[in-house]
Amino acid sequence: QIGALPMPDVPGGGEPNIVLFLRDLTEARRLETMRVDFVANASHELRTPLSALLGFIETLQGPARDDARAREQFLGIMRTQAQRMTRLIDDLLSLSRIELREHVAPTQPLDLARIARQLVDMQAPLARERGISLTLETPDAPMPVLGERDELLRVIENLVENAMKYGGSGGIVTVSLHRLTGTDGRPDRIELRVTDAGPGIAPEHIPRLTERFYRVDVASSRHQGGTGLGLAIVKHTLNRHRGRLTIESELGAGTTMRVTLPEYRAEAGGAPPEAG
Ligand code: ADP
């Protein structure tokens, strides 16, 4: 936007004064559109289970009032819908909390390998139940990063849950940790990979997966209890940790999600990494 404001004439004559202002509205407009889209999407996502709940309540108060079998069945569905709303609200709150602190770098030295191990242990019963082989591969050494334990646990949890959800039943999911070397030949980054052997993701979807509510297949995501916010939470958490997410996938061959974080090097006398 370019504009000109006339200024009062200076007494005594001379050229009239004007102030020119230049403002780039493109970025402001883009952010405003994103905000409006987000509110519209969030409202739609909340309205869907809410409409289902209202529909079932009306049926239970009317036609199905005396049908004990229908009541049991409907109550089960209503519970699932209410749980879905709870998950959605939890994810929306997590996302806004993370965004609020996105510019505050975390300062706690942590061992990413220990956090990954805790997560794999936590998910082991669910993996067994679904016939999925979930394994952790890590060198016998700490993987030190600066971070917030609960946030990093959540990042790994979202990626492992996705690999188990979309990787196909009876699948193989591997979490592995690696130290990457910088140009000076010294290790300077820690990489965590979550690999599945599922159906993979078509290339046109990959750049959009971290957008809020973007899903390749909305019905399948909902069926799996997804909110469409998992990878957005991962992306914003990693921004805060000065890390990044890289998605590699091939249709029919599976997906690898790579999380890269700066390696923490303790100064002499610095705190050793701990699991938090
Ligand atoms: P959701 O709650 O739908 O799982 P996410 O933000 O975690 O939301 O993921 C966004 C979408 O990315 C998913 O709906 C799914 O289509 C796709 N996706 C994520 N991880 C994988 C994976 N490992 N394999 C195939 N598709 C995946």
Side-chain angles (χ1 to χ4, degrees):
Q1 188 186 21
I2 303 175
L5 287 177
M7 293 286 280
D9 284 347
V10 181
E15 292 295 310
N17 293 324
I18 57 166
V19 175
L20 265 181
F21 59 88
L22 305 167
R23 195 148 49 113
D24 181 6
L25 287 184
T26 332
E27 179 62 6
R29 256 198 210 116
R30 196 183 66 82
L31 289 174
E32 180 59 12
T33 310
M34 269 175 65
R35 195 187 63 77
V36 171
D37 283 354
F38 175 59
V39 172
N41 284 335
S43 310
H44 174 73
E45 293 290 332
L46 282 167
R47 189 181 281 276
T48 310
L50 197 56
S51 302
L53 277 173
L54 286 172
F56 282 114
I57 291 170
E58 277 163 22
T59 314
L60 284 173
Q61 285 178 325
R65 185 190 295 266
D66 301 318
D67 185 338
R69 253 187 70 204
R71 195 169 53 231
E72 271 316 296
Q73 191 196 353
F74 290 174
L75 284 173
I77 302 173
M78 288 166 74
R79 190 192 162 104
T80 309
Q81 297 296 336
Q83 284 168 336
R84 189 172 142 200
M85 288 182 76
T86 309
R87 259 197 313 276
L88 190 56
I89 291 167
D90 285 348
D91 277 0
L92 285 168
L93 285 174
S94 299
L95 197 53
S96 74
R97 263 198 300 268
I98 293 162
E99 276 186 304
L100 266 180
R101 291 186 298 163
E102 200 160 324
H103 302 291
V104 186
T107 53
Q108 177 76 45
L110 300 167
D111 177 5
L112 195 64
R114 281 180 72 178
I115 301 177
R117 191 175 303 284
Q118 285 167 356
L119 191 276
V120 167
D121 289 347
M122 272 163 53
Q123 295 283 352
L126 186 64
R128 253 196 308 278
E129 202 178 286
R130 296 191 190 168
I132 293 169
S133 147
L134 172 64
T135 51
L136 175 71
E137 292 171 4
T138 176
D140 194 16
M143 295 285 164
V145 295
L146 283 183
E148 188 109 12
R149 179 192 171 273
D150 290 349
E151 289 186 9
L152 291 177
L153 190 77
R154 182 79 191 274
V155 163
I156 309 172
E157 183 179 25
N158 284 352
L159 298 180
V160 168
E161 275 183 3
N162 279 351
M164 297 208 294
K165 280 193 302 196
Y166 305 111
S169 60
I172 298 171
V173 175
T174 310
V175 180
S176 61
L177 282 129
H178 312 261
R179 287 178 89 195
L180 304 184
T181 306
T183 42
D184 62 356
R186 291 176 65 189
D188 66 354
R189 280 158 298 148
I190 302 290
E191 187 168 275
L192 177 135
R193 295 181 202 153
V194 179
T195 305
D196 68 63
I201 306 161
E204 65 270 23
H205 295 294
I206 292 180
R208 300 200 57 191
L209 292 182
T210 55
E211 287 175 21
R212 293 145 210 241
F213 298 119
Y214 189 87
R215 290 170 275 197
V216 175
D217 177 345
V218 176
S220 143
S221 159
R222 288 209 177 126
H223 176 71
Q224 300 275 6
T227 61
L229 294 172
L231 290 180
I233 292 175
V234 167
K235 179 183 149 183
H236 286 279
T237 307
L238 292 177
N239 284 349
R240 176 166 187 237
H241 284 76
R242 292 193 294 128
R244 58 186 299 216
L245 174 72
T246 315
I247 303 172
E248 283 165 19
S249 191
E250 199 182 321
L251 281 177
T255 302
T256 296
M257 300 272 176
R258 294 168 188 264
V259 167
T260 318
L261 290 162
E263 175 167 346
Y264 168 64
R265 288 185 199 159
E267 303 302 326
E274 49 180 74

